[in-house]
Amino acid sequence: MSEDPLALDAGRMRQMGYAVIDLLVDRATALPDGPALRSATRAEMEARLGEAAPPHGRDFRDLLDRLDRDVLPFMGHFDHPRFFGYIPGAGTWPGALGDLIAAATNIDSGAWRESAGPSQLELTVLDWFRDWIDYPPEAAGVLVSGGSAANLTAIACAREALIGPMSSRIVAYASDQTHSSVARAARHLGFRPDQIRVLPTDARFRIRPHELAAAMDADVAGGRIPFLVIANAGTTSTGAVDPLAELAELCHARGVWFHVDGAYGAFAVLTDRGRAALDGLAMADSVTLDPHKWLAMPFEVGCVMVRDGAMLERAFELHPEYLQEGAPGSTTVNFADRGLQLTRASRAIKVWLAIQTFGLDAFRAVIDRAMDLTLEAQARIEADPRLELVTPASLGVLTFRRRGAPGATDGEVDRANAAIVTALSAAGDVLLTSTLIGGRYAIRLCVLNHSSTGDDVAYALDRVATVDIGGIGTHGARAENNGSTRAARQAALAGDWLDVGRMSVDDLRALPTFAAADDDAAIRFLATGREESYQVGQVVTERWTLARTFYLVLDGRLSVLVDGREVNVLEVGDHLGEIAAIDWGRDFSYGRTATVIATAPTRVLAFPAAALRELMTDVPDVDRAIRRIAQARLVVR
């Protein structure tokens, strides 16, 4: 009898394994007939699962029954054919078995000596990825947990390659559509809010290369060092792809590292139209890839590829005295030298096993089919008078909403569509998520699952068009007005407050942007304001500076200039600075997007960005109004 209390004999191991496989196969075959999402409260889950650890073992089949009853049903089923929210991932059975193999053999793939076979398998998989994105032979990469870890790894590599230790002078550039993982990575790598410049995008939600160049010029003139640009190969909100080739040429000409976040879209290069859409990807200095998205691998596996592979190891290799195991001059690879993890599971087995099982053409077909279904969804939306297309299909993403009843305001239509998404989530038969497009609420549909069909897409759209939430019709809504013309504002604001330079709660609510603010929120906001005066020719804000103050114009006249061209005029009751005041993430925000100069003696109330953000959080209608105005001004530019 074994003295190991954790040992199992071969017969019992097989018995337990067969039971697990039966559970998983039963779940997979029944999945399409069940909900795409089923959630529960914390109290409900604690009632099912909250308990002390048992001193003695329990029957394994009973434990599987508990998992099947109390755990596995209460989750988002990302591999469900009607799970169209977020960026869904549907794995494959060979991939899942690959994870089982990696876990059961307890591989540590950090060092070659302990994992020569798994390490070579990872090199093989990385060679595939390198060839697919047309990287040169000297490129290198590493498999990580997902896109967030890949972006952090790439930013760290870029800084080490070009700068070395952290410098307060360096600046990185990202668009307002860039994934939040970049903000999180920058924050934890020590970047201050003024070291990440968030750039506004064009009408197609892409970086404007000429504005990127202007931002770099302004930073160089200010003694800063542009070192990194982060572009997108498929944004989360709309699937937008930045002009990669043009951005790459700009970065290379200036000695700036060019990183492409292709976590969602980069594997579209396996198809002809995807390769055309991602033209310029091969010119990037580093690329984030996510096999657990469009390559249909089980969570979790991501990848970062670096064009000059030696830079990746130089950024991360560290050899303390207790890890001196490699022979001098050895050509072996220790993957711990290419990233943050020392102990790391083998993520390559599932990728290799799935691609070898199905063949690459099967994955190409899946990606093409997802793009076809998204185009089919767009055609259905455009043909349905109950629905409205917001942004067209890009790769596998589009946005839309249900039209409002006659006379409904924009805010009412936004709230109705938010209620639709909530109702569908509660019902669980289809899962859709949302985003903001130009300050307006939009429903996202993302087709990624290899199991989704045209019928599933049609079902999801029909549910949006027909779900009963009360108070929303099937006709077009008029745009929200609220007397927002300059003349209406000036008439509403005529009164003594202009003379004393302060505002009351009622004065603030006379501005359409702030009409929904209640007394408490308005009082707290106004308490933070201070009066400032400007004479003719004085600059209130200058383009590309990183100040974040929000201004309300009390009297006078201001000219808004972009590259010396007047794009707007601001007078009493207008406001400015809302673009820079909006928080992009982790305290990173836009810089000033225009220069504002007084063309008459002018008084303003100046408010800290934090005060405006607090008001926007407290009053959703104010938030929507501010974001709509900000987006409109970004488009005018």
Side-chain angles (χ1 to χ4, degrees):
M1 186 179 207
S2 172
E3 296 181 359
D4 181 359
L6 303 181
L8 297 170
D9 62 51
R12 192 174 178 199
M13 290 169 66
R14 288 191 175 90
Q15 184 183 55
M16 295 166 73
Y18 296 152
V20 169
I21 295 299
D22 286 343
L23 182 153
L24 295 176
V25 172
D26 288 345
R27 174 195 174 277
T29 54
L31 186 65
D33 298 324
L37 171 72
R38 183 182 175 191
S39 193
T41 66
R42 173 73 178 271
E44 290 171 331
M45 296 314 301
E46 284 187 344
R48 289 174 177 268
L49 298 167
E51 59 191 37
H56 306 291
R58 296 173 177 172
D59 183 77
F60 187 73
R61 286 188 177 274
D62 289 344
L63 297 176
L64 290 183
D65 288 342
R66 285 198 65 192
L67 286 174
D68 196 31
R69 181 183 67 249
D70 295 332
V71 176
L72 299 181
F74 299 99
M75 56 185 281
H77 300 286
F78 281 76
D79 45 354
H80 193 288
R82 293 190 299 279
F83 196 110
F84 296 118
Y86 310 111
I87 306 290
T92 63
W93 188 243
L97 295 178
D99 264 345
L100 173 62
I101 293 168
T105 53
N106 202 29
I107 297 168
D108 176 2
S109 62
W112 181 276
R113 191 180 73 170
E114 290 80 30
S115 62
S119 293
Q120 181 56 56
L121 200 66
E122 185 162 345
L123 289 173
T124 298
V125 167
L126 292 169
D127 284 347
W128 293 348
F129 294 174
R130 182 197 66 206
D131 292 343
W132 297 347
I133 64 174
D134 290 330
Y135 256 20
E138 63 269 20
V142 61
L143 297 182
V144 294
S145 59
S148 295
N151 282 333
L152 187 149
T153 303
I155 295 171
C157 178
R159 188 181 68 187
E160 290 298 313
L162 298 186
I163 305 299
M166 187 63 183
S167 167
S168 61
R169 295 175 59 201
I170 63 175
V171 183
Y173 305 81
S175 87
D176 55 15
Q177 301 300 303
T178 298
H179 193 268
S180 61
S181 64
V182 170
R184 184 178 293 109
R187 175 72 172 268
H188 290 286
L189 287 170
F191 289 84
R192 300 191 316 263
D194 62 348
Q195 291 184 270
I196 300 292
R197 189 177 288 286
V198 181
L199 301 172
T201 47
D202 63 17
R204 295 168 60 189
F205 305 99
R206 308 183 310 161
I207 292 176
R208 299 176 173 104
H210 70 280
E211 291 206 347
L212 171 60
M216 288 183 182
D217 289 341
D219 284 325
V220 170
R224 295 169 175 268
I225 303 172
F227 92 102
L228 170 68
V229 169
I230 301 158
N232 299 296
T235 61
T236 301
S237 281
T238 66
V241 178
D242 287 320
L244 304 180
E246 193 174 351
L247 294 173
E249 290 174 0
L250 172 63
C251 290
H252 294 165
R254 294 174 178 242
V256 173
W257 187 284
F258 182 49
H259 173 67
V260 175
D261 181 359
Y264 163 53
F267 280 119
V269 296
L270 290 172
T271 70
D272 290 340
R273 56 183 151 171
R275 182 169 291 274
L278 299 171
D279 179 48
L281 180 66
M283 300 169 69
D285 293 295
S286 55
V287 176
T288 287
L289 304 160
D290 243 3
H292 66 211
K293 291 189 173 71
W294 235 339
L295 210 55
M297 298 300 156
F299 298 142
E300 39 179 60
V301 56
C303 176
V304 61
M305 295 294 299
V306 178
R307 168 178 281 277
D308 183 348
M311 290 185 176
L312 184 59
E313 292 205 8
R314 283 203 296 270
F316 290 99
E317 64 181 347
L318 191 64
H319 300 294
E321 61 275 8
Y322 49 82
L323 291 176
Q324 301 293 327
E325 298 171 352
S330 172
T331 60
T332 58
V333 173
N334 296 320
F335 279 105
D337 292 338
R338 294 188 179 185
L340 298 173
Q341 286 184 272
L342 179 58
T343 302
R344 54 193 299 276
S346 175
R347 300 182 176 97
I349 292 177
K350 61 184 171 187
V351 179
W352 181 86
L353 196 58
I355 292 174
Q356 292 281 13
T357 299
F358 295 112
L360 192 54
D361 285 348
F363 291 90
R364 288 194 176 99
V366 164
I367 296 170
D368 258 330
R369 186 161 162 271
M371 290 190 281
D372 286 340
L373 289 175
T374 311
L375 290 170
E376 181 180 318
Q378 177 175 330
R380 286 180 176 275
I381 292 166
E382 291 175 323
D384 191 330
R386 302 167 297 180
L387 303 176
E388 173 188 10
L389 185 71
V390 178
T391 59
S394 180
L395 300 178
V397 178
L398 60 75
T399 66
F400 70 109
R401 57 179 164 244
R402 188 154 130 194
R403 295 185 185 274
T409 66
D410 289 347
E412 289 168 341
V413 176
D414 286 351
R415 287 189 288 274
N417 277 277
I420 289 170
V421 170
T422 299
L424 293 180
S425 176
D429 55 330
V430 62
L431 196 284
L432 294 162
T433 50
S434 65
T435 189
L436 289 177
I437 304 294
R440 295 290 310 280
Y441 189 95
I443 301 172
R444 286 179 66 259
L445 181 137
C446 180
V447 184
L448 200 76
N449 290 1
H450 54 81
S451 61
S452 298
T453 66
D455 288 343
D456 293 315
V457 170
Y459 180 86
L461 299 181
D462 189 62
R463 289 284 281 132
V464 171
T466 60
V467 64
D468 182 15
I469 60 165
I472 183 168
T474 57
H475 303 291
R478 65 173 174 84
E480 196 163 16
N481 189 327
N482 290 334
S484 59
T485 65
R486 177 169 285 116
R489 288 198 301 272
Q490 291 176 337
L493 295 173
D496 292 339
W497 73 275
L498 291 175
D499 297 323
V500 300
R502 299 302 299 176
M503 300 183 77
S504 69
V505 168
D506 289 338
D507 295 329
L508 182 68
R509 281 198 290 256
L511 301 172
T513 302
F514 300 96
D518 59 31
D519 286 353
D520 181 61
I523 288 170
R524 284 188 284 109
F525 176 65
L526 289 171
T528 67
R530 70 180 186 279
E531 184 177 330
E532 296 179 358
S533 297
Y534 295 88
Q535 299 304 311
V536 175
Q538 278 192 290
V539 175
V540 181
T541 66
E542 188 168 358
R543 193 181 190 202
W544 303 125
T545 58
L546 290 161
R548 301 179 67 181
T549 306
F550 175 74
Y551 301 94
L552 288 175
V553 182
L554 299 176
D555 58 29
R557 187 176 186 276
L558 300 171
S559 177
V560 182
L561 306 171
V562 174
D563 296 331
R565 175 176 56 91
E566 186 174 79
V567 298
N568 200 2
V569 173
L570 303 177
E571 297 178 333
V572 58
D574 286 322
H575 48 76
L576 66 144
E578 63 286 315
I579 295 173
I582 294 173
D583 184 48
W584 173 67
R586 303 300 299 182
D587 293 327
F588 299 113
S589 183
Y590 297 96
R592 296 299 192 193
T593 59
T595 297
V596 179
I597 298 176
T599 54
T602 300
R603 288 183 302 139
V604 299
L605 277 180
F607 298 87
L612 178 63
R613 292 201 304 272
E614 181 180 348
L615 180 63
M616 293 167 68
T617 299
D618 291 343
V619 188
D621 281 352
V622 171
D623 183 271
R624 281 189 283 268
I626 288 288
R627 292 182 187 278
R628 282 199 295 272
I629 292 168
Q631 184 62 35
R633 289 179 173 175
L634 290 171
V635 170
V636 166
R637 296 166 53 261

